[in-house]
Amino acid sequence: MSLDKPYKDVPGTTIFDAEQSRLGYHLNQFCMSLMKAANRERFKANERAYLDEWPMTEEQKQAVLARDLNRCIALGGNIYFLAKIGATDGKSFQQMAGSMTGMTEEEYRDMMIKGGRSAEGNRYVGEDGDAQAQHQPQGAAGRKGH
């Protein structure tokens, strides 16, 4: 039984807690395997075959193949582990974060330099701030093509 989690009402935020850790254990172990050059080469040579060596859910595998990092996080991925996928693809953390927010790398960088997103409209789910799901790739806009 999961505990009451008032933080689930924070828009655009998945807290990596014990439940998420259990959910994403194999996904995160796969990511950590990419720290070894030989594993990165095997993954890049045949992503699906390499993923099939891991007891991840099909949904987790599909999220990795699509490089849908927001979905990976929802499925238990930890951003610090998922960064290994980006590094394998030659992407910086800033490029990855930008893609997760629907921004270009430059837009994301500029937003962060200016202090990040405003808390206005983003304190709880249902407000209309720019971090709300309906304004993010993981929200309604990101699901249009799926």
Side-chain angles (χ1 to χ4, degrees), residues 19-143:
E19 187 175 339
Q20 284 296 104
S21 178
R22 283 188 298 277
L23 179 65
Y25 178 78
H26 294 293
L27 169 59
N28 292 316
Q29 291 299 304
F30 149 74
C31 291
M32 290 304 292
S33 78
L34 298 176
M35 291 184 65
K36 294 184 178 179
N39 290 340
R40 289 191 300 274
E41 289 171 20
R42 288 179 55 229
F43 176 63
K44 287 164 52 171
N46 188 335
E47 292 184 4
R48 182 63 206 213
Y50 189 75
L51 287 171
D52 284 341
E53 295 177 21
W54 296 89
M56 297 162 42
T57 68
E58 182 60 27
E59 193 173 11
Q60 289 170 327
K61 292 175 185 180
Q62 289 300 319
V64 170
L65 291 169
R67 300 306 193 267
D68 186 342
L69 300 177
N70 289 320
R71 190 73 194 129
C72 286
I73 287 174
L75 296 170
N78 179 295
I79 189 58
Y80 298 106
F81 296 135
L82 295 172
K84 309 304 185 246
I85 298 171
T88 298
D89 290 341
K91 299 208 184 279
S92 70
F93 197 86
Q94 189 168 281
Q95 287 172 309
M96 291 174 53
S99 76
M100 294 170 70
T101 59
M103 298 179 192
T104 65
E105 179 183 5
E106 294 77 21
E107 290 168 333
Y108 180 79
R109 180 199 60 230
D110 293 346
M111 177 195 64
M112 294 306 289
I113 287 170
K114 292 175 186 168
R117 293 185 191 269
S118 169
E120 291 304 314
N122 293 313
R123 289 187 178 91
Y124 59 87
V125 172
E127 293 182 299
D128 198 36
D130 61 354
Q132 296 284 327
Q134 68 270 18
H135 300 295
Q136 295 298 306
Q138 72 270 26
R143 290 190 298 266

